[in-house]
Amino acid sequence: MLRQWSVQAPGEPEPEPTGEELWEQEMERLCSSQEPVRVLPYAMVDKRFIRQLREPEGVKTSCWQQWRHRQQTARRRLGEAARRLARGCGLWEGALYEIGGLFGTGIQSYFTFLRFLLLLNLLTLLLTTSFVLLPLTWLSPPDRGPALNFTLQCPGGHQPQTGVPKFNNLLWNVFTSRAFNNTFLFYGTYRAGPESSSVYSIRLAYFLSPLACLLLCFCGILQRMVKGLPQKMFLGQDYRSPLSAKVFSSWDFCIQGQEAATIKKHEISNEFKESLFLLLQYLPPGVIALVNFLGPLLFVFLVQLENYPPNTEVNLTLIWCVVLKLASLGMFCFSLGQTVLCIGRNKTSCESYGYNACDYQCWEDSVGEELYKLSIFNFLLMVAFTFLVSLPRRLLVERFSGRFWAWLDREEFLLPKNVLDIVEGQTVTWMGLFYCPLLPLLNSIFIFLTFYIKKYTLLRNCRASPRPFRASSSIFFFQLVLILGLLLAAAPLGYVVSSIRSSWDCGLFTNYSAPWQVVPELVALRLPPPSQRILHYLGSHAFRFPLLILLSLVLTVCVSQSQASARAIRGLRKQLVWQVQEKWHLVDDLSRLLPEPGSGDSLGPESSHSRGSRPRSLCPGFPCPGSPGPRPPRPEPSLEDPAGLRGAPVPIRRCRFPSGSEL
């Protein structure tokens, strides 16, 4: 189709494009665009027509391509349905929604944290069961290598502890772990034959399982920590939350039930409280400026309030409690090392056997029992505090009236304390992965029960905290505390498996100076000489220096790339601001050229008052970035053309595709 061009006089403004030309440009843009059809803002019939226009002329889709397209569409829809089903049938979804609506996203993040810990424990249990318990049950040799019989030379005729329980009460034996001494709960029950006669190395699997579990948990926590970082760290200090969106777009009009509406009201209320709380933290600078002349003491006090806003005070309190709690666990580990492994003590049995063999014949089981008792004690303490302290306090406050009971009131749900309690239990579980492999199962049961107990405490026995918590900051600090607990559990475990002599008469490593020694033995038995030489080189000092240089180069590249990305982001921000300012200049120029409403055909410049009273949009008269071009009204649909796209008056040019074909 030939286009006719008219001669344009000098100084004459360019004629505006007609509707046909605009529609032709739009169709040409859609034909040449590589954007998927399903993301275009058009009706379904329009999308089908656009898909037909994009197909080259004279080329028909083969049956194989049609079948492949249908399969891809079916897989995509099936995946979307599976994701919706997983979100709908997720664990505790309804309870989390209720808690978030009543108490805010900060308190909700604690219960989400419980669900995350439950997932970590179940994955750890699955890993241990798959690589240790099931192979040990299926591939157990007829001769497991009985324990060695030897006589301990203890001073003063002291005999080792026999472990005979003093009480025959079954409940007491469960609490003290004596009911599980001969089960797979503890290290001493695991036995296997020589490595040369076995196809699958149970010892290597038992040695690597705790390390793999800790690495898996570390990766999961790190990924969740990065995901939960506050948005200000990425968006900069000039970022402001869209308060207008919360005001005008918070309500969900799909809600029908009264209970759901009440929960949504509480959720919106808590969001506004949080936003107002963040806005009020900018008031102390003005207050400090006003009362600066009242005295140096008052000035110092207000400066401290400015330097430590309420959210920071919560974080500092949490960090201080974390230090104390983890320090107590560290002292517990050190006391066990002194008692069992004679760390810092001189004993005859320790010099002969590497551990206190006179008092602890199977020291791994003894350490596992202590960690088992500590887990049981922490859970029972939480249950007792809930039903013996929080519940009677709530009943007394509701039953009696007076100043004292009004002052006492219900218990406040302290988020730092509850987080530290659950992190302490998880740290103890990680410490016992080598000595008590099935301890994650016990901790999973405790976390499952803790969720319902804490939910009951929050909904019935506690009052809402007057200080709202931000969910992003809460999640970040939860994961930070959890990583500190993981490092605290990994340090003694690495020292034990690499340097401490195993027990002589129990467990899988009775004939090894340390559990680590099973690795070089298997390397010598299973690998050919070239592979052995490669592994020896990788573990030598000669490989450490090239590795250190390589890591330094990689770190330098990552830091340089990060700095370049930050500079690019700053440049894009400036460019975006410049583009918006340029559009406002164009809008001002256009507003001066447009006629006044009701002034006839006059094109003179309008007054500033009329320009200021006219409502503005972000880009009036201009296409916003990413939006499709202007589109004139379509003709009315007919029976021959239901979409109304192929009307006779609308000329459409042939589209040229990258392959060279035309339509």
Side-chain angles (χ1 to χ4, degrees), residues 44-113:
M44 187 61 65
V45 290
D46 299 345
K47 291 181 179 180
R48 295 193 185 101
F49 179 62
I50 294 172
R51 186 179 290 110
Q52 294 176 4
L53 291 178
R54 287 186 177 183
E55 294 180 358
E57 186 178 5
V59 178
K60 296 183 178 180
T61 306
S62 62
C63 297
W64 166 255
Q65 292 177 348
Q66 294 178 0
W67 180 83
R68 186 177 179 182
H69 178 71
R70 287 195 298 267
Q71 292 297 320
Q72 291 178 354
T73 305
R75 284 196 299 267
R76 185 178 68 251
R77 293 177 179 176
L78 183 61
E80 294 175 355
R83 285 191 292 270
R84 289 195 300 266
L85 182 63
R87 288 193 298 266
C89 300
L91 183 62
W92 302 326
E93 286 291 339
L96 291 175
Y97 184 78
E98 180 183 5
I99 293 171
L102 294 176
F103 298 94
T105 56
I107 302 298
Q108 182 189 20
S109 62
Y110 166 75
F111 292 89
T112 308
F113 182 62

Side-chain angles (χ1 to χ4, degrees), residues 250-502:
S250 295
W251 186 254
D252 187 2
F253 289 93
C254 296
I255 295 177
Q256 297 180 359
Q258 182 64 30
E259 184 178 358
T262 304
I263 294 176
K264 189 64 178 179
K265 289 179 182 178
H266 284 288
E267 181 181 355
I268 297 174
S269 175
N270 289 328
E271 289 182 358
F272 282 124
K273 289 179 182 178
E274 180 180 352
S275 301
L276 182 61
F277 186 79
L278 294 177
L279 291 175
L280 291 179
Q281 71 179 359
Y282 296 101
L283 293 180
V287 177
I288 292 174
L290 292 176
V291 302
N292 189 20
F293 300 101
L294 297 180
L297 295 179
L298 183 60
F299 175 73
V300 170
F301 175 73
L302 292 176
V303 167
Q304 290 178 353
L305 286 181
E306 168 61 19
N307 292 333
Y308 300 98
N311 280 339
T312 310
E313 289 179 4
V314 174
N315 296 336
L316 291 178
T317 304
L318 179 58
I319 292 175
W320 178 247
C321 296
V322 166
V323 171
L324 294 179
K325 185 71 73 172
L326 296 183
S328 64
L329 287 178
M331 292 302 298
F332 173 76
C333 294
F334 183 73
S335 63
L336 279 180
Q338 279 188 326
T339 306
V340 179
L341 304 177
C342 302
I343 298 178
R345 300 170 60 184
N346 294 324
K347 273 193 173 185
T348 305
S349 60
C350 293
E351 296 176 358
S352 304
Y353 308 106
Y355 63 96
N356 189 3
C358 291
D359 295 330
Y360 303 96
Q361 192 169 358
C362 186
W363 68 268
E364 290 90 351
D365 280 3
S366 300
V367 174
E369 290 174 2
E370 294 298 326
L371 296 175
Y372 173 88
K373 295 175 187 176
L374 186 58
S375 299
I376 293 286
F377 177 76
N378 289 336
F379 178 73
L380 293 180
L381 184 63
M382 184 269 298
V383 174
F385 187 84
T386 300
F387 294 102
L388 299 181
V389 177
S390 299
L391 179 60
R393 178 177 175 177
R394 190 258 297 178
L395 295 177
L396 291 175
V397 169
E398 292 179 352
R399 180 78 173 103
F400 301 100
S401 61
R403 290 185 177 181
F404 173 75
W405 303 108
W407 170 80
L408 183 62
D409 204 359
R410 293 187 179 186
E411 178 189 0
E412 181 182 349
F413 192 83
L414 299 177
L415 192 61
K417 177 182 177 299
N418 289 279
V419 170
L420 289 180
D421 291 340
I422 196 65
V423 169
E424 181 185 11
Q426 186 61 44
T427 305
V428 172
T429 302
W430 284 331
M431 288 180 177
L433 286 178
F434 184 79
Y435 318 103
C436 189
L438 296 184
L439 194 58
L441 174 61
L442 185 66
N443 194 38
S444 300
I445 298 174
F446 289 163
I447 292 176
F448 186 82
L449 297 177
T450 300
F451 182 91
Y452 291 100
I453 294 175
K454 289 297 181 181
K455 178 188 173 184
Y456 170 79
T457 303
L458 179 65
L459 297 179
R460 298 296 183 88
N461 301 334
C462 293
R463 68 178 189 273
S465 176
R467 176 179 298 168
F469 297 93
R470 298 183 62 189
S472 58
S473 301
S474 302
I475 292 175
F476 175 77
F477 278 100
F478 293 169
Q479 310 306 320
L480 179 61
V481 174
L482 199 58
I483 278 191
L484 294 178
L486 179 64
L487 296 178
L488 178 62
L493 179 60
Y495 173 72
V496 165
V497 299
S498 61
S499 305
I500 301 300
R501 179 70 171 83
S502 301

Side-chain angles (χ1 to χ4, degrees), residues 55-258:
E55 294 180 358
E57 186 178 5
V59 178
K60 296 183 178 180
T61 306
S62 62
C63 297
W64 166 255
Q65 292 177 348
Q66 294 178 0
W67 180 83
R68 186 177 179 182
H69 178 71
R70 287 195 298 267
Q71 292 297 320
Q72 291 178 354
T73 305
R75 284 196 299 267
R76 185 178 68 251
R77 293 177 179 176
L78 183 61
E80 294 175 355
R83 285 191 292 270
R84 289 195 300 266
L85 182 63
R87 288 193 298 266
C89 300
L91 183 62
W92 302 326
E93 286 291 339
L96 291 175
Y97 184 78
E98 180 183 5
I99 293 171
L102 294 176
F103 298 94
T105 56
I107 302 298
Q108 182 189 20
S109 62
Y110 166 75
F111 292 89
T112 308
F113 182 62
L114 286 177
R115 185 174 63 177
F116 173 69
L117 290 182
L118 179 61
L119 177 61
L120 286 184
N121 283 275
L122 292 178
L123 289 178
T124 302
L125 180 64
L126 178 63
L127 191 64
T128 304
T129 304
S130 302
F131 291 96
V132 178
L133 284 179
L134 293 181
L136 185 64
T137 305
W138 292 343
L139 304 177
S140 58
D143 183 12
R144 291 191 175 186
L148 299 177
N149 294 323
F150 61 94
T151 304
L152 295 175
Q153 301 296 331
C154 298
H158 179 74
Q159 296 298 325
Q161 295 179 356
T162 58
V164 178
K166 297 181 180 180
F167 303 97
N168 292 324
N169 191 340
L170 179 60
L171 185 60
W172 175 258
N173 292 337
V174 170
F175 287 158
T176 58
S177 73
R178 290 170 181 168
F180 308 104
N181 282 339
N182 297 323
T183 62
F184 285 120
L185 182 63
F186 295 108
Y187 163 86
T189 313
Y190 294 82
R191 293 186 181 274
E195 292 297 331
S196 58
S197 61
S198 61
V199 178
Y200 183 85
S201 178
I202 299 295
R203 291 183 177 88
L204 183 63
Y206 192 94
F207 170 74
L208 293 179
S209 292
L211 304 180
C213 293
L214 292 179
L215 182 61
L216 177 65
C217 294
F218 179 79
C219 294
I221 296 170
L222 194 63
Q223 188 269 342
R224 189 176 174 85
M225 177 186 291
V226 174
K227 184 179 179 181
L229 280 175
Q231 294 183 357
K232 283 188 177 181
M233 300 183 64
F234 296 102
L235 301 177
Q237 298 297 328
D238 55 346
Y239 174 75
R240 296 294 181 269
S241 59
L243 186 60
S244 59
K246 295 182 180 179
V247 174
F248 297 104
S249 306
S250 295
W251 186 254
D252 187 2
F253 289 93
C254 296
I255 295 177
Q256 297 180 359
Q258 182 64 30

Side-chain angles (χ1 to χ4, degrees), residues 45-46 49 631 634-646:
V45 290
D46 299 345
F49 179 62
R631 183 177 181 181
R634 295 181 308 195
E636 293 295 329
S638 60
L639 295 177
E640 292 79 12
D641 184 15
L645 294 174
R646 295 187 288 268

Side-chain angles (χ1 to χ4, degrees), residues 535-586:
L535 290 179
H536 284 307
Y537 172 72
L538 294 178
S540 63
H541 293 281
F543 178 72
R544 296 178 184 177
F545 294 103
L547 180 62
L548 182 61
I549 295 175
L550 180 61
L551 291 178
S552 302
L553 292 176
V554 172
L555 182 61
T556 304
V557 171
C558 292
V559 171
S560 301
Q561 186 177 3
S562 176
Q563 294 177 354
S565 301
R567 289 193 297 268
I569 290 174
R570 289 194 296 268
L572 291 175
R573 287 176 182 170
K574 293 180 181 179
Q575 183 179 359
L576 182 61
V577 172
W578 178 83
Q579 290 179 355
V580 173
Q581 293 176 354
E582 186 68 19
K583 286 185 178 181
W584 282 120
H585 287 304
L586 294 175

